[in-house]
Amino acid sequence: MTVREALAEAEQRLAAAGVETPRVDAEWLVAHLLGTTRSGLAGRLGDEVPAGAAGAGVSPLGAAGSAGSASGNALEPLLARREAREPLAYVLGEWGFRRLTLKTDARALVPRPETETLVERTLAVAEGIERPRILDVGVGSGAIALALKDERPDAQVTGIDVSADALALARENAERLGLEVELRQGDGAEAAAEGWDVVVANPPYVESLDDVQPELRWEPEIALAGSGEHERLARAAKASFVVLEVGDGQAQEVADLLERLGCAGVAITADLTGRDRVVEGRLP
Ligand SMILES: C[S@@+](CC[C@H](N)C(=O)[O-])C[C@H]1O[C@@H](n2cnc3c(N)ncnc32)[C@H](O)[C@@H]1O
């Protein structure tokens, strides 16, 4: 089976499975398998898709399947996982965030592009502070904490999470990337009260998981479902600044809360899709 044929079959199967961007996902999977990028596929459309064991981290099916379909080649296990609506980042095992490539699996939330705006605002509020002490509450895969350390090497970054699984993944990412951050297990609000220059958090804020897209069901519930976490954190925090990611429609409520708590410079920033996503303020 050629790369061109594999792409066509994968696109068709992913579309039938209800995947929102079947062509893009098909390209990601095939590119991963061939150890290239999506744009690198253009020159390889006539190549044969490897049978079995080619491609990093792929479990081979062996060459027993029919030669004319994805079954029997190394694409099949990846495709089957994505067809089951497992997030693309888990299937690929890695995902880009800011300047980093992070290991991703079901132990922690997939780092989202909108969270890059949270990092940007955190870097902005910390700009005038020398060796800022920054706490990332709910560190998950390590995305925020590690991106901050990468882009502000003089910062002293601590990440905290209640989930031992998430922390294990964050540790693996820190080690792989050679970035020194402190990682600990515990409750974020308690840690926030210890005194920091900046407390940043992307807390669980999905109020109901009833009608969410199937991909979210693969992610840890503790990373997604939550209500009132912004308030708990903002009330507990002893810090110069708080920078919080919020869900759709929550920004004004969280901004009002920060105003009530006496914060100065309360501001809402939209993410790259134009949705209000980050609320920040300077605590009294
Ligand atoms: C939305 S995820 C964010 C993960 C990561 N920071 C990111 O942006 O990709 C929320 C994280 O908060 C953690 N968490 C939930 N409740 C917590 C608490 N009370 N204290 C600390 N962490 C908590 C979850 O385990 C999860 O890893």
Side-chain angles (χ1 to χ4, degrees):
M1 178 182 237
T2 64
V3 168
R4 181 183 281 104
E5 289 164 344
L7 285 170
E9 178 178 336
E11 179 181 2
Q12 182 263 317
R13 281 173 57 180
L14 294 177
V19 170
E20 244 175 53
T21 51
R23 180 70 192 186
V24 171
D25 286 35
E27 289 176 2
W28 270 107
L29 294 177
V30 176
H32 177 74
L33 197 62
L34 299 180
T36 183
T37 58
R38 278 176 59 214
S39 55
L41 289 174
R44 299 186 60 177
L45 294 174
D47 289 6
E48 284 295 308
V49 171
V58 176
S59 30
L61 275 188
S66 79
S69 80
S71 64
N73 69 43
L75 178 62
E76 181 55 31
L78 303 178
L79 188 51
R81 287 173 65 187
R82 189 66 189 109
E83 264 184 312
R85 304 294 297 272
E86 187 172 346
L88 184 61
Y90 289 169
V91 178
L92 299 176
E94 59 181 31
W95 201 240
F97 184 80
R98 300 284 296 188
R99 307 191 305 200
L100 307 176
T101 299
L102 297 161
K103 182 173 175 183
T104 42
D105 61 40
R107 287 176 290 176
L109 191 91
V110 174
R112 307 293 206 265
E114 54 266 33
T115 303
E116 300 196 13
T117 305
L118 182 70
V119 172
E120 204 165 290
R121 289 313 309 156
T122 307
L123 290 167
V125 302
E127 206 171 273
I129 308 171
E130 229 176 89
R131 293 173 52 79
R133 296 184 63 240
I134 304 177
L135 176 70
D136 172 15
V137 173
V139 71
S141 63
I144 299 168
L146 294 170
L148 289 170
K149 184 67 188 173
D150 177 49
E151 294 180 50
R152 218 18 238 277
D154 70 317
Q156 301 170 62
V157 182
T158 297
I160 188 155
D161 208 296
V162 279
S163 160
D165 276 351
L167 279 169
L169 181 59
R171 281 202 182 94
E172 286 167 30
N173 273 319
E175 224 159 87
R176 274 159 57 111
L177 295 164
L179 290 167
E180 261 183 52
V181 295
E182 185 197 9
L183 293 167
R184 27 167 160 134
Q185 191 169 14
D187 177 63
E190 275 174 31
E194 288 170 17
W196 304 87
D197 291 310
V198 186
V199 169
V200 55
N202 173 17
Y205 56 62
V206 182
E207 278 162 12
S208 165
L209 289 174
D210 287 347
D211 291 316
V212 295
Q213 63 185 47
E215 280 78 359
L216 268 67
R217 306 213 171 279
W218 293 81
E219 295 184 279
E221 193 173 333
I222 195 173
L224 292 166
S227 145
E229 287 304 308
H230 299 105
E231 177 156 5
R232 207 166 77 82
L233 199 55
R235 286 190 183 283
K238 291 201 172 32
S240 299
F241 296 94
V242 284
V243 190
L244 304 170
E245 180 168 324
V246 298
D248 291 347
Q250 297 175 348
Q252 195 54 56
E253 200 182 312
V254 174
D256 292 346
L257 165 75
L258 294 191
E259 298 274 7
R260 280 202 307 280
L261 293 176
C263 287
V266 175
I268 296 174
T269 305
D271 62 25
L272 289 175
T273 69
R275 293 190 172 89
D276 286 344
R277 187 62 64 202
V278 178
V279 183
E280 70 193 55
R282 189 184 182 107
L283 284 163

